[in-house]
C-alpha cells in the first residue's frame, strides 16, 4: 500500500472563549479571571499542569482586555517599561521557566512593581506554584507567593473526552464517539498527553491512509503512555 506523506504541521488550536470547555476542573479559575477588579493589586497567577488550558484562558482573556501576551523567559529589565502602560494589561506566560535566569527574574520583579505603580492588570501563568520554580531572587519570590492564585485542576470525567473531541476537531478529523469514549477511560488524565496523542493519531492516519479507529488509537496510546501503563487492546477496530 502506498504511504501518504504526513507533513508535521502545527495545527493552530481554536482559542476563543466559545471554544473553551468549562467543567468543575476549571470553573473556579475561569471565574477568577472574569473578575479582575477583585485581583489583589491587579495581579493574578494562573497555575496548571502542561496542557491544562492555561494558554487558552490567557489568550482569550488577553483578547478581551486588550492585553499583550509575552513569554516570561524573553523579558529583560531594559524592555520592561515598554510592556505595560498606565491602566493597561499584560499576560506573562510560563513564568516557571525563568528560575535561575537572573536577568529574567530581575525583569519580572520590575514588571511586578511597574504593574502596581501604573494600576495595570498582570496575569502570570505557570505550571506550578512559585515556591516550586526555583526562584533565586528573594524579593520576587515573596511577591509571587503573596499573589492570588487561580488553579486549574486535573481533567475530570467530563473534561477529558470533551478535550479529545476538540483536539480532533481542531485538526478536522472525524472520529466516532466510541473511539473517544474508549480513549477517555483508558488513558492517563493528562491533557498534555491528549494533545500529543491526537497529533500522533493524525500523523499515523495520514501516513498509512487508515481511518481513526479504536485499534489505531490503541497502537498510539500504547506508544505514548508511561511504561507502567498498558492500555487494553480493543476487541474490535
Amino acid at each position: 500500500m502506498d504511504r501518504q506523506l504526513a507533513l508535521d504541521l502545527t495545527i493552530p488550536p481554536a482559542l476563543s472563549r466559545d471554544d473553551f470547555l468549562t467543567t468543575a476542573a476549571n470553573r473556579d479559575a475561569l471565574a477568577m479571571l472574569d473578575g479582575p477588579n477583585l485581583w489583589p493589586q491587579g495581579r493574578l497567577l494562573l497555575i496548571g499542569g502542561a496542557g491544562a488550558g492555561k494558554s487558552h484562558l490567557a489568550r482569550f482573556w488577553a483578547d478581551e482586555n486588550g492585553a499583550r501576551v509575552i513569554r516570561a523567559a524573553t523579558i529583560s529589565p531594559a524592555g520592561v517599561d515598554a510592556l505595560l502602560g498606565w491602566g493597561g494589561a499584560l499576560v506573562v506566560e510560563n513564568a516557571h521557566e525563568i528560575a535561575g535566569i537572573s536577568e529574567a527574574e530581575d525583569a519580572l520583579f520590575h514588571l511586578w512593581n511597574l504593574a502596581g505603580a501604573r494600576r495595570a492588570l498582570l496575569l502570570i501563568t505557570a505550571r506550578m506554584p512559585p515556591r516550586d520554580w526555583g526562584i533565586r531572587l528573594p524579593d520576587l519570590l515573596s511577591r509571587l507567593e503573596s499573589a492570588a492564585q487561580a488553579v486549574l485542576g486535573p481533567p475530570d470525567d467530563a473534561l477529558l473526552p470533551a478535550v479529545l473531541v476538540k483536539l480532533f476537531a481542531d485538526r478536522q478529523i472525524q472520529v466516532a464517539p466510541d473511539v473517544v469514549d474508549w480513549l477517555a477511560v483508558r488513558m492517563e488524565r493528562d491533557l498534555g498527553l491528549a494533545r500529543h496523542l491526537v497529533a500522533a493519531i493524525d500523523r499515523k492516519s495520514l501516513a498509512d491512509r487508515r481511518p481513526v479507529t479504536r485499534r489505531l488509537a490503541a497502537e498510539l496510546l500504547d506508544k505514548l503512555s508511561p511504561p507502567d501503563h498498558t492500555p487494553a487492546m480493543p476487541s474490535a477496530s
Side-chain angles (χ1 to χ4, degrees):
M1 179 183 294
D2 293 337
R3 292 172 63 86
Q4 180 175 333
L5 178 63
L7 300 178
D8 190 11
L9 301 177
T10 299
I11 307 297
L15 296 177
S16 72
R17 179 182 286 269
D18 289 342
D19 296 306
F20 187 75
L21 307 168
T22 305
T23 72
N26 54 40
R27 187 173 291 113
D28 290 344
L30 177 60
M32 290 186 71
L33 258 72
D34 281 341
N37 56 310
L38 301 177
W39 300 0
Q41 299 181 320
R43 307 178 186 102
L44 182 70
L45 300 185
L46 178 59
I47 308 295
K54 299 184 300 298
S55 289
H56 193 159
L57 279 166
R59 294 294 167 140
F60 73 69
W61 182 88
D63 288 342
E64 294 171 359
N65 290 274
R68 182 176 177 180
V69 180
I70 61 172
R71 195 177 187 98
T74 67
I75 59 178
S76 64
V80 164
D81 187 69
L83 293 175
L84 197 55
W86 285 90
L90 180 69
V91 176
V92 179
E93 288 212 87
N94 297 306
H96 58 278
E97 295 178 349
I98 71 170
I101 305 174
S102 58
E103 186 176 65
E105 289 191 13
D106 287 341
L108 186 57
F109 176 69
H110 292 312
L111 186 57
W112 182 278
N113 292 332
L114 187 66
R118 295 184 176 176
R119 298 182 181 178
L121 296 175
L122 181 60
L123 175 63
I124 299 174
T125 75
R127 290 188 180 181
M128 68 284 290
R131 65 175 179 272
D132 299 324
W133 299 0
I135 292 291
R136 296 178 182 174
L137 186 61
D139 288 341
L140 173 61
L141 180 59
S142 65
R143 283 161 174 74
L144 290 168
E145 288 189 322
S146 69
Q149 296 183 11
V151 179
L152 294 165
D156 54 26
D157 290 340
L159 183 58
L160 183 56
V163 166
L164 287 168
V165 170
K166 178 184 182 300
L167 290 171
F168 281 118
D170 284 345
R171 290 174 173 269
Q172 299 181 343
I173 303 172
Q174 292 187 342
V175 180
D178 70 291
V179 175
V180 172
D181 293 341
W182 187 89
L183 282 172
V185 299
R186 287 166 176 81
M187 65 180 290
E188 297 291 330
R189 288 189 176 184
D190 181 335
L191 299 187
L193 171 61
R195 182 173 288 109
H196 290 302
L197 177 61
V198 170
I201 290 173
D202 187 16
R203 289 193 298 269
K204 185 68 172 175
S205 174
L206 286 172
D208 294 353
R209 296 183 178 180
R210 296 168 61 185
V212 178
T213 62
R214 282 186 293 170
R215 185 165 297 279
L216 175 61
E219 291 175 15
L220 277 300
L221 179 59
D222 184 52
K223 290 181 179 179
L224 293 177
S225 294
D228 60 346
H229 176 78
T230 305
M233 288 296 294
S235 59
S237 61

